[in-house]
């Protein structure tokens, strides 16, 4: 205010508002807002990443940025940028609206980190990184073979791998006899029992990865016939073939 010699007081002058801010803002970790999920942090579809807000105890938030790192396991798009198989991706700080989103449409394991800036020019520390894997390709089954076969039992072994997300933690292998599921578990070997001698069977295994993708492979075989044992007598013995078929 000002006063003149006659004692008259001025009206209020235009105020100046000043904020002193010595505290860095805080950036929250980004989150996945949509995507078809398998196990925790594994997805088998396009993933939408959303900024998760920011806060400052003194100044308003001026802007939010993010970074993305990872290696592409296939061709696709990451936050609007085209990537190719085996490309190392390192997208530097990119501004985005608070609670804004972008999509990841390329397989790989991706780390997204957020930062925030307030109006005093202070920058937050990096947020806790969001780490997730996008995997849209099923496991590779290199073999599904019989390791031993009898008249009523057949043992099988599976060799499978997944280079992006790895095989599922549980329910990794599902074994079928024909169209009937007979076992689900984490072991790559299984013994089919209760079979009939000299009978053809179609066996199948379905292998699942952590993102929930599956691959399958079948095996066709015929069980061996009945085994007949002869007690030793010291003389020749005869065996009557009971029915038409192939005998050993």
């Amino acid at each position: 205010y000002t006063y003149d010699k006659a004692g008259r007081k001025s009206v209020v002058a235009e105020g100046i508002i000043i904020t002193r801010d010595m505290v860095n803002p805080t950036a929250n970790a980004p989150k996945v807002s949509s995507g078809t999920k398998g196990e925790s942090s594994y997805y088998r579809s396009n993933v939408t990443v959303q900024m998760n807000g920011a806060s400052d105890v003194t100044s308003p938030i001026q802007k939010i940025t993010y970074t993305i790192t990872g290696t592409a396991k296939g061709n696709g798009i990451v936050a609007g940028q085209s990537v190719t198989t085996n490309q190392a991706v390192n997208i530097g700080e990119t501004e985005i609206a608070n609670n804004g989103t972008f999509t990841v449409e390329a397989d790989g394991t991706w780390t997204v980190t957020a930062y925030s800036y307030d109006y005093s020019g202070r920058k937050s520390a990096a947020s806790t990184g969001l780490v997730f894997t996008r995997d849209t390709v099923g496991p590779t089954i290199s073999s599904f073979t019989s390791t031993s076969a009898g008249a009523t039992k057949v043992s099988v072994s599976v060799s499978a791998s997944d280079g992006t997300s790895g095989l599922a933690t549980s329910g990794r292998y599902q074994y079928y006899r024909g169209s009937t599921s007979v076992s689900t578990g984490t072991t790559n070997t299984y013994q089919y029992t209760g079979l009939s001698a000299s009978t053809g069977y179609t066996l199948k295994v379905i292998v699942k990865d952590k993102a929930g993708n599956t691959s399958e492979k079948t095996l066709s075989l015929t069980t061996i016939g009945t085994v007949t044992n002869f007690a030793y007598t010291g003389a020749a013995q005869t065996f009557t073939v009971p029915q038409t078929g192939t005998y050993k």
Side-chain angles (χ1 to χ4, degrees), residues 212-224:
N213 303 296
T214 59
S215 300
E216 65 180 58
K217 200 172 186 68
T218 58
L219 169 65
S220 296
L221 53 78
T222 300
T223 54
I224 67 172

Side-chain angles (χ1 to χ4, degrees), residues 7-27:
R8 299 183 66 85
K9 180 181 179 181
S10 70
V11 297
V12 177
E14 182 179 349
I16 298 175
I17 300 175
I18 300 173
T19 299
R20 179 181 183 272
D21 185 359
M22 297 293 290
V23 179
N24 289 346
T26 299

Side-chain angles (χ1 to χ4, degrees), residues 137-172:
V137 179
T140 298
I141 304 175
S142 54
S143 66
F144 179 41
T145 58
S146 169
T147 56
S148 67
T152 61
K153 299 178 182 179
V154 171
S155 296
V156 296
S157 177
V158 185
S159 179
S161 61
D162 190 282
T164 301
S165 61
L167 299 181
T169 303
S170 62
R172 185 178 305 169

Side-chain angles (χ1 to χ4, degrees), residues 13-99:
E14 182 179 349
I16 298 175
I17 300 175
I18 300 173
T19 299
R20 179 181 183 272
D21 185 359
M22 297 293 290
V23 179
N24 289 346
T26 299
N28 297 327
K31 63 182 181 180
V32 173
S33 61
S34 68
T36 306
K37 192 174 184 179
E39 296 182 28
S40 179
S41 300
Y42 292 88
Y43 298 86
R44 59 183 182 275
S45 67
N46 292 341
V47 175
T48 300
V49 177
Q50 181 178 8
M51 295 300 104
N52 201 16
S55 61
D56 189 284
V57 296
T58 307
S59 304
I61 297 298
Q62 182 183 35
K63 67 178 181 179
I64 290 177
T65 62
Y66 66 86
T67 63
I68 305 174
T69 58
T71 300
K73 296 296 185 178
N75 298 338
I77 297 175
V78 177
Q81 298 190 27
S82 295
V83 299
T84 56
T85 302
N86 296 325
Q87 178 182 341
V89 178
N90 189 348
I91 298 176
E93 279 193 65
T94 304
E95 187 171 352
I96 189 172
N98 194 6
N99 297 316

Side-chain angles (χ1 to χ4, degrees), residues 8 39 84 113 122 161 169 178 184 191 239 241:
R8 299 183 66 85
E39 296 182 28
T84 56
T113 305
R122 301 185 73 89
S161 61
T169 303
T184 300
Q191 185 179 69
F239 170 73
V241 176

Side-chain angles (χ1 to χ4, degrees), residues 198-218:
S198 302
T199 302
Y201 289 94
T202 298
L203 311 179
K204 181 174 72 173
V205 65
I206 294 179
V207 183
K208 183 170 68 173
D209 65 22
K210 290 180 180 178
N213 303 296
T214 59
S215 300
E216 65 180 58
K217 200 172 186 68
T218 58

